[in-house]
Amino acid sequence: MRRAAPAPFLILAALVLIAIAWMRGGEYDEFYSVFLIAGHPRPDWPHHPETVAALRAFYHGHAAFGAIAHALRTGDVHPPLYFWLLALWRDGLGIGLFRLRLLSIVFTLAALAVLIRLARTIGAPPLATALITLLCYGFAYTGIVARDFALAQLLSLIGVLALIEADRRARPLPALLGGIALGAACFSNYLASFTTIAGLLWMLAVNRARPSLWIASAIGAALFIPAGVWFFLAQQGTRPGQFHPFALLPAMADLARDQGGALLGALPREGPHAAASPLEALLAAFLIILAIVIARSGLTALAPRHRALILAGIAAPPVGLLALGALFDNMPIEVRYLWLGLPYLGLALATGLRRHPWLLAPLLAIQTAAIIGLAVAPRTMQPAARTEAAAAAFLRPDTLVLIPFGNDGVGIPGPFIAAAPANMTILVARRAATTPNRAAPYRRVIIANIRVDAASRTLVPQLRAAFATACWQRETSPAAITIFDNLCLRPKAPPARSAPA
């Protein structure tokens, strides 16, 4: 039987991913990437009001590989491989968040092509696997953002495919190359270590009688261990308070919810343990049905050695996150952190649904609705772009827009300024007490009510309280912003006229 060509599917996937990347506003974390490769990893925003046109100087510039590595070791929590490649990409394609996102899309399309090859190798339906995976909310999201997820996904899948080829052909060279790819995935994102460990353990388990294979794979992965450890040890404790303290039962509940969200769609949770809605209850029931399909048909239809690999690929991210949380007493559990297991879920579901085709249509329908929401629903996005739009609608002459500095001056000012018109005047506010004095020459002040980290949740109410004085009158405004008009600013005197001759 003639194999279905993957090219039409990859073209469709490219259109879907490009549309999502174009329509979504800037993400908090993406501007760490933007400023890092521009040589301003922590922009020193002016302490006085300035136009957006002037502030955008921080988005330009060029950071060498050494400067990127130094900035990551001293101020971030990620290894450098992706950022080095992003810097080269930006040098060729130019600045702009959408252009930076295109690199992730290239990696994601390549990952889907590798996944199709992997599915054919183990006897899973290739295009069904790729389609289910593409429509996974967590896969599409991590596939378009200007962060290291897509590169780690690509390298991880290449590594696993190479290990399968090494096992099938009994040759150490593919095992070595597979280990190198898995090690490089960890040098792109540390969380890829979970899948890497699972792949290496699988290689050991199925090739105990052929030590040259599993030793070669381990050597390949180990090539990246010294550099990875050098970066990782320098970053411990760089983001205290980012996650809640670890508790086993809540962590398992969050994992179940976020794993379902990564597959079928997710919205930001209001609080760490928000109550489930009726829709979520229905989706949970559907997930249970899918889990039964995977257990009874999706895994049993595969060869035992491949079944073990797919099961390890599904289990590695949640088990790894639980172990990481218990070790460091926090709960690093988010939808995006489960992205590496989604291709293996796609493999298991596509295989199981061959015997239960009546479930495929509702699965794809739910996933498609979630992907549309990912592209257009404001609740799935960070608030900076829509807050900027609300502020721009209420601009008058002599208006000053205040945006909170946030934890480090990157994730809040970055996307807001990128979306704002060039003539908007902005002050990146650090302290509420001194801000009214700097705003005194302006007829109107608009406070951007962006509260997405600990510092901004504290500062925004303080800013509103600081302007609750006799000189400032609060006006009616949307929830995204707070408007004050200056009652104490004297009108400008008209120009003096010379006496008639």
Side-chain angles (χ1 to χ4, degrees), residues 45-46 48-59 399-401 403 416-418 420-428 442:
W45 302 110
H48 57 270
E50 191 56 88
T51 64
V52 165
L55 294 174
R56 285 184 181 159
F58 290 105
Y59 297 72
T399 296
L400 176 64
V401 178
I403 55 177
F416 189 99
I417 295 169
N423 63 347
M424 181 183 285
T425 301
I426 285 176
L427 174 64
V428 180
Y442 294 87

Side-chain angles (χ1 to χ4, degrees), residues 27-284:
E27 298 280 336
Y28 190 107
D29 286 356
E30 286 183 297
F31 284 84
Y32 288 99
S33 304
V34 170
F35 294 129
L36 175 68
I37 63 174
H40 309 286
R42 296 293 183 270
D44 184 18
W45 302 110
H47 290 258
H48 57 270
E50 191 56 88
T51 64
V52 165
L55 294 174
R56 285 184 181 159
F58 290 105
Y59 297 72
H60 299 261
H62 174 86
F65 279 14
I68 290 173
H70 175 74
L72 288 169
R73 285 196 77 238
T74 57
D76 210 330
V77 291
H78 296 280
L81 182 57
Y82 164 75
F83 300 101
W84 288 339
L85 296 177
L86 185 66
L88 295 175
W89 178 269
R90 197 280 306 272
D91 289 346
L93 215 63
I95 65 169
L97 183 59
F98 175 71
R99 295 182 184 185
L100 298 183
R101 286 175 169 177
L102 290 177
L103 178 61
S104 292
I105 292 175
V106 170
F107 291 146
T108 302
L109 293 173
L112 288 169
V114 173
L115 180 61
I116 289 171
R117 171 70 180 274
L118 194 158
R120 284 176 175 161
T121 301
I122 68 173
L127 292 185
T129 295
L131 179 59
I132 292 171
T133 303
L134 170 67
L135 294 179
C136 285
Y137 184 97
F139 184 88
Y141 169 77
T142 57
I144 63 98
V145 295
R147 296 296 282 171
D148 46 34
F149 301 110
L151 176 60
Q153 183 72 268
L154 170 61
L155 291 170
S156 182
L157 286 171
I158 290 174
V160 169
L161 177 60
L163 294 187
I164 293 173
E165 292 292 338
D167 174 61
R168 187 166 66 92
R169 299 181 182 184
R171 293 181 180 177
L173 181 58
L176 176 66
L177 296 177
I180 291 173
L182 289 171
C186 301
F187 205 54
S188 303
N189 186 298
Y190 292 128
L191 297 184
S193 302
F194 306 147
T195 305
T196 295
I197 292 171
L200 295 177
L201 289 177
W202 173 83
M203 197 66 176
L204 172 61
V206 299
N207 289 284
R208 284 172 291 183
R210 298 182 289 185
S212 62
L213 298 185
W214 60 263
I215 291 175
S217 64
I219 290 174
L223 295 177
F224 288 88
I225 289 178
V229 170
W230 185 68
F231 274 89
F232 181 75
L233 292 179
Q235 299 167 7
Q236 294 190 60
T238 55
R239 292 190 183 179
Q242 184 179 6
F243 301 109
H244 299 282
F246 181 77
L248 181 59
L249 292 181
M252 294 179 67
D254 284 353
L255 270 175
R257 178 170 179 164
D258 286 350
Q259 184 70 75
L263 176 64
L264 298 182
L267 291 173
R269 292 200 303 264
E270 299 296 333
H273 312 297
S277 67
L279 176 59
E280 288 176 317
L282 290 174
L283 292 177

